[in-house]
Amino acid sequence: MSLQTRSMERTSAGEKQQTWQQYRIFIEEMNSLIGSALVEEFRNDNENDFNPNIIVGNGESLPRGATKLINAEDSSQLGQVLLDCDIVIFHQNYCRAEYAYKLLKHGQYQQTKTFILISNPMTWSTTPLKDRKNDETAMRQSMGGDTEDQPFLKKHEKFIENDLSIRKIHFLERLKYLEQQIIVCDKPQLHAYVITPGLVYGNGEDILYDLFKTAWMTPDAELPIYGDGNNIIPMIHVNDLANIVNKTVTLTPNERYIFAVDYENMTQKKLVTTIAKSVGNGFTKNVTTASEKMLTLNVWLRPTQVFESDDQYIDAKKNPIILWQCKEGFAKNIIKIREQFKLYRGLDTVKLIVHGGTASGKSYLCKQLASFYRIPHIQIKPLIQELLEQQSELGELVRTTLTQVKDQLVAEALAIFEAEKKKKKVPKGQPEPVFDPSGIQPRLPDSVLIQIYRWRLDQNDAQNLGYVLDGFPKTLEQYEKLFLNEEGQLLESIKPKGVIYLEYPDDQLKEKAKLVIDNPRYQEEQVVKRLANFRKNNEQLLQQYEQYDIKRISDQERALEQSKDYITRNGPILVLQDVKEEEVVQMEEQQEDCTPSHQVSSLQQEKVSAVQQSQVQQSQVGPKKKGDQLNKSINESRLSKDNKKLTDEQKQDLIRQQERELLDQRSQPLRQYLADNVVPFLTEGLINICEKHPENPLQFLADFLEQKGNELQALGQ
């Protein structure tokens, strides 16, 4: 197959002739966050199955949409591929990028090529913020984001691409040198660009992965903010970065240096707080040591205007407008970003309703499932107690409603008491009966209950991990108010994925209720009444639950086992959680709505030992990266436990690995010396070999290096 750019035509009956242009594209590290987004951006096999773009590159595996995987460590193979490609994109290995650029700069070819270097925003990290010149400039440059809550931003201006000359770099000197070479490239057949992105986020996350993982997994986590957190961090969604790269290739602008950042004025504090509130529990803490250097960046970059400021780009055929996914930035798109993280990491949620009659064991099974899958166990009594202690709008509503309902019940009970008192005369010598309202327990109306459950189901832990809903809804009307919107459609964010029905006959439930002591709700009269209400509403509710492939369980001893089989009916569940593999969980046997003081005496203090282990295989979620996303967090969490079980051979392997890491660290100065003094000339020699194809390449390279050494010696270098 020819690797040259080619234009091919095809026609079909009744259709206009259509021309497809095929490009050969090299993308470095196709499995990385940026690499995979670039593959998705440049692939067109879903639109053009006749002669789609040919995408090649290196990586661990061949991603969907790519054509071929190569070994980039093989300089000969890499050089041949680069010379055959129309578009070359590097973003990670800058030494290899330098080799590629020099090869294209000095190589011989006829067709036009485009070279893109996605640089590192840390090249601006040692440049002081640009002071504001005048109010008009500050106003114009701050239009891309709010500064009211960040008054210190009003003292500065955003850097633009033309400010490159005032950039100060105290490290990454080699990258700076490569950028300078690319910017001044004067070869007519080579369009070369440097694109400097902000902190790249989105999809499965990379730099922000640890923050997402900590917030996702740890209920009481406090996300770290380095220093005061007021440093400015430019950011860009990885898909927006890929689109800007595509526009650069398509439009070939005159500007060689381009910023790829969104329009948000983001600070480290705002970034970490947004993740904490939208993914975790909202808690943060200030630390003195930064775990990620990129989060210490303090530079304010203006979004590029390269594609919006020149009439030559207003061309409908070229479609110059950047197709932004997150133009407004990270904070305003955090829900979308959270869902992308769940999708790209292949994470699933366990969302269950446990349904059953009085004394069927719903609460006990819910507690077991919540402990096994590490998901919230949602009961109404703890929710009400939590809200009563909160100073929130919903908490105030609960307090007010309970007071009003109780006052009404007390007034009604008092009226009945007074009426009964008038009918019956008190015998002489006996005390007058006294009205006691302490036994009156108010119940919240459904309208308030629905708000409480909605509030709980919308919380981050329920959104990220799932939930098990204990005995609610009880009626079809409650179900519709909780899970359906005004148009009668299911609310996707909170809808359940399954229903477990503990199905027992009334006689069996009554016998179980007799075992519950010191609880008036389980007295025979109350149980009969509650079961009658349950049967009255049950059929309609079960008909609604059939859409979830309801699981009916009538064997109490195997209830947990059957429930887990039901939950994994479509495949194992992958959850992003640190899991203790050997953990004894102290659990109390509990029937529905019973407090510990009301438990069956024979079941008190029963210890249930269970091995807690989350499933780590692929779940049935999302089309993207399905089947190739490994949950590295679980591997990390188990590392310390695995070390305790190492055999002697494994311990030796671990020691050897530590020795290799130490040698690698000690060899860093030598490797840097070679990179500065040997690799550039060796690269130049290899480029000459690729161009001239000598019969004896080794002898040719030796002669070239000898000649180069003599030249340097003559120059006194």
Side-chain angles (χ1 to χ4, degrees):
M1 178 186 296
S2 173
L3 303 183
Q4 305 299 321
T5 304
R6 52 184 177 164
S7 178
M8 305 188 71
E9 298 178 351
R10 61 175 181 176
T11 59
S12 61
E15 292 183 355
K16 293 182 179 180
Q17 192 175 42
Q18 188 172 18
T19 301
W20 295 100
Q21 192 169 21
Q22 184 185 64
Y23 293 98
R24 174 83 176 192
I25 305 167
F26 174 86
I27 297 175
E28 181 200 19
E29 295 296 343
M30 294 189 292
N31 298 120
S32 66
L33 180 68
I34 295 177
S36 59
L38 289 169
V39 171
E40 286 294 323
E41 179 69 27
F42 282 95
R43 62 176 294 206
N44 62 350
D45 54 308
N46 53 345
E47 301 173 355
N48 169 23
D49 57 357
F50 184 61
N51 62 326
N53 291 336
I54 299 173
I55 300 177
V56 298
N58 63 313
E60 296 179 358
S61 60
L62 187 67
R64 183 182 59 181
T67 309
K68 184 180 179 181
L69 201 63
I70 70 164
N71 179 16
E73 295 181 358
D74 185 341
S75 299
S76 177
Q77 181 185 12
L78 177 62
Q80 185 62 46
V81 169
L82 294 176
L83 288 173
D84 285 341
C85 283
D86 307 297
I87 302 166
V88 176
I89 306 172
F90 277 83
H91 62 88
Q92 188 163 309
N93 189 318
Y94 297 124
C95 293
R96 200 170 287 157
E98 182 179 8
Y99 164 74
Y101 171 72
K102 289 183 176 180
L103 178 65
L104 297 178
K105 174 70 184 298
H106 302 289
Q108 300 297 322
Y109 45 86
Q110 297 298 321
Q111 77 278 15
T112 301
K113 297 182 183 295
T114 301
F115 179 85
I116 302 286
L117 173 68
I118 300 177
S119 187
N120 191 322
M122 293 299 291
T123 57
W124 288 84
S125 62
T126 54
T127 305
L129 290 174
K130 185 178 177 183
D131 291 333
R132 183 179 67 179
K133 293 181 179 179
N134 54 64
D135 294 338
E136 182 182 354
T137 304
M139 181 179 299
R140 184 174 66 255
Q141 293 198 354
S142 64
M143 288 176 65
D146 297 330
T147 59
E148 293 301 325
D149 58 340
Q150 302 159 331
F152 60 91
L153 293 181
K154 296 181 179 180
K155 301 178 181 179
H156 305 287
E157 292 181 10
K158 296 180 180 180
F159 287 111
I160 61 176
E161 286 93 337
N162 291 337
D163 291 326
L164 186 61
S165 59
I166 65 174
R167 181 181 64 173
K168 298 179 181 179
I169 296 183
H170 298 159
F171 63 104
L172 298 174
E173 288 286 346
R174 187 164 186 177
L175 177 57
K176 175 186 177 181
Y177 173 71
L178 176 59
E179 289 182 353
Q180 292 172 341
Q181 287 184 299
I182 294 171
I183 293 170
V184 299
C185 177
D186 56 358
K187 186 171 184 174
Q189 296 91 352
L190 181 61
H191 300 302
Y193 298 94
V194 176
I195 297 178
T196 298
L199 185 155
V200 179
Y201 63 88
N203 296 350
E205 298 302 335
D206 183 10
I207 296 172
L208 300 179
Y209 173 79
D210 286 338
L211 287 175
F212 270 79
K213 183 185 75 170
T214 302
W216 197 283
M217 294 163 49
T218 314
D220 56 350
E222 295 179 328
L223 297 189
I225 297 175
Y226 173 70
D228 60 10
N230 288 330
N231 53 301
I232 307 169
I233 303 178
M235 301 184 71
I236 183 77
H237 191 286
V238 65
N239 294 340
D240 293 331
L241 171 61
N243 192 247
I244 289 176
V245 172
N246 193 351
K247 293 302 178 185
T248 303
V249 171
T250 304
L251 302 175
T252 60
N254 296 327
E255 296 81 352
R256 298 298 184 88
Y257 189 83
I258 298 171
F259 286 148
V261 297
D262 57 37
Y263 284 76
E264 184 174 24
N265 299 323
M266 177 61 77
T267 64
Q268 182 207 168
K269 183 177 181 180
K270 182 179 178 182
L271 169 63
V272 176
T273 302
T274 299
I275 297 174
K277 289 182 177 179
S278 302
V279 182
N281 54 25
F283 298 127
T284 61
K285 63 180 179 181
N286 292 90
V287 297
T288 56
T289 303
S291 58
E292 171 57 56
K293 287 186 177 181
M294 193 72 76
L295 295 177
T296 67
L297 187 63
N298 188 26
V299 61
W300 201 12
L301 306 180
R302 186 189 70 178
T304 186
Q305 297 182 3
V306 166
F307 309 114
E308 301 173 5
S309 59
D310 199 319
D311 291 340
Q312 66 174 312
Y313 300 129
I314 305 178
D315 184 343
K317 294 182 180 179
K318 292 184 177 181
N319 188 21
I321 302 174
I322 297 173
L323 304 178
W324 289 96
Q325 284 196 15
C326 297
K327 182 177 182 179
E328 303 85 359
F330 184 86
K332 292 185 178 179
N333 292 280
I334 183 60
I335 301 302
K336 178 197 298 184
I337 295 165
R338 184 181 69 183
E339 292 305 310
Q340 286 180 344
F341 180 76
K342 185 189 301 184
L343 175 66
Y344 276 77
R345 291 288 169 180
L347 302 174
D348 205 356
T349 53
V350 180
K351 297 182 177 181
L352 289 174
I353 296 175
V354 175
H355 178 66
T358 303
S360 59
K362 298 188 295 295
S363 295
Y364 178 52
L365 179 60
C366 286
K367 194 169 185 178
Q368 288 179 306
L369 292 173
S371 177
F372 185 83
Y373 289 105
R374 303 295 178 93
I375 56 178
H377 175 193
I378 299 181
Q379 290 178 294
I380 190 59
K381 286 187 176 180
L383 290 183
I384 293 175
Q385 187 60 42
E386 179 181 351
L387 287 168
L388 287 174
E389 298 172 359
Q390 281 188 11
Q391 297 301 319
S392 63
E393 184 177 344
L394 184 56
E396 182 61 30
L397 175 63
V398 171
R399 285 189 292 270
T400 303
T401 305
L402 283 176
T403 301
Q404 293 174 349
V405 172
K406 184 166 184 177
D407 289 345
Q408 182 179 353
L409 292 176
V410 168
E412 293 174 355
L414 180 59
I416 296 174
F417 174 80
E418 293 293 343
E420 293 293 330
K421 183 179 177 182
K422 291 179 180 179
K423 293 180 181 179
K424 299 180 180 179
K425 294 183 179 180
V426 180
K428 291 182 179 181
Q430 292 188 4
E432 289 281 339
V434 178
F435 178 69
D436 181 12
S438 61
I440 299 177
Q441 298 296 328
R443 291 181 177 274
L444 291 170
D446 282 356
S447 59
V448 178
L449 287 177
I450 297 302
Q451 292 187 57
I452 294 174
Y453 278 108
R454 284 266 185 97
W455 165 77
R456 185 62 184 89
L457 295 177
D458 280 332
Q459 290 184 24
N460 290 332
D461 58 349
Q463 290 291 311
N464 296 341
L465 307 175
Y467 59 79
V468 54
L469 206 52
D470 190 345
F472 193 89
K474 299 180 183 296
T475 67
L476 179 61
E477 184 179 5
Q478 288 177 341
Y479 169 86
E480 292 175 344
K481 289 182 178 179
L482 179 58
F483 292 114
L484 304 184
N485 59 20
E486 295 178 355
E487 290 76 29
Q489 299 173 334
L490 275 170
L491 295 168
E492 292 294 328
S493 62
I494 64 172
K495 73 175 184 180
K497 293 186 175 182
V499 176
I500 296 174
Y501 176 31
L502 301 179
E503 188 176 26
Y504 303 107
D506 286 0
D507 291 343
Q508 187 173 349
L509 294 176
K510 291 176 183 178
E511 290 299 321
K512 292 176 65 177
K514 291 178 181 179
L515 299 176
V516 182
I517 58 176
D518 298 331
N519 189 340
R521 298 191 67 217
Y522 286 87
Q523 293 178 358
E524 184 175 359
E525 182 181 351
Q526 288 292 324
V527 170
V528 171
K529 183 179 179 180
R530 292 169 63 191
L531 284 176
N533 289 332
F534 172 75
R535 297 302 177 193
K536 177 182 177 181
N537 298 297
N538 194 40
E539 288 304 319
Q540 284 185 319
L541 197 53
L542 289 180
Q543 290 176 8
Q544 187 67 49
Y545 284 163
E546 288 297 338
Q547 64 178 304
Y548 301 112
D549 187 23
I550 187 172
K551 174 65 176 178
R552 298 170 184 263
I553 296 177
S554 55
D555 184 350
Q556 184 177 1
E557 293 183 358
R558 299 186 64 245
L560 178 60
E561 179 184 350
Q562 292 182 15
S563 297
K564 290 190 288 187
D565 290 341
Y566 168 69
I567 292 169
T568 57
R569 65 194 183 281
N570 293 325
I573 301 297
L574 176 60
V575 291
L576 188 66
Q577 298 219 28
D578 281 326
V579 180
K580 297 180 181 179
E581 294 198 10
E582 295 179 3
E583 178 181 13
V584 177
V585 181
Q586 185 79 18
M587 300 179 67
E588 297 176 342
E589 291 281 357
Q590 179 178 353
Q591 303 298 333
E592 185 220 14
D593 292 339
C594 297
T595 61
S597 60
H598 297 142
Q599 299 308 309
V600 182
S601 57
S602 62
L603 296 178
Q604 287 181 343
Q605 299 180 349
E606 178 178 352
K607 294 182 180 179
V608 180
S609 177
V611 175
Q612 302 296 320
Q613 182 175 4
S614 296
Q615 308 293 337
V616 293
Q617 299 183 22
Q618 186 62 35
S619 63
Q620 305 295 318
V621 295
K624 293 186 178 181
K625 295 195 171 184
K626 182 177 179 181
D628 64 356
Q629 287 293 339
L630 297 178
N631 190 347
K632 67 179 182 180
S633 67
I634 291 184
N635 294 331
E636 294 168 357
S637 67
R638 291 176 178 170
L639 183 60
S640 61
K641 291 183 286 293
D642 291 342
N643 288 342
K644 297 177 182 179
K645 303 176 183 179
L646 293 178
T647 62
D648 292 339
E649 182 179 353
Q650 290 171 326
K651 290 179 180 178
Q652 291 296 326
D653 290 340
L654 183 60
I655 293 173
R656 284 192 288 269
Q657 174 65 23
Q658 293 172 344
E659 290 175 346
R660 284 193 294 269
E661 292 175 356
L662 182 60
L663 289 173
D664 182 71
Q665 182 179 359
R666 291 180 176 177
S667 67
Q668 177 63 31
L670 177 60
R671 288 188 286 116
Q672 186 62 45
Y673 168 79
L674 294 174
D676 292 338
N677 299 284
V678 178
V679 172
F681 307 112
L682 187 61
T683 300
E684 188 176 351
L686 293 174
I687 292 173
N688 277 274
I689 291 175
C690 292
E691 292 176 349
K692 298 179 180 180
H693 299 283
E695 292 184 2
N696 190 337
L698 293 178
Q699 185 62 46
F700 179 89
L701 180 61
D703 294 341
F704 174 84
L705 293 176
E706 182 180 6
Q707 178 184 354
K708 183 63 67 174
N710 292 335
E711 292 175 359
L712 293 174
Q713 186 175 6
L715 295 173
Q717 298 182 11

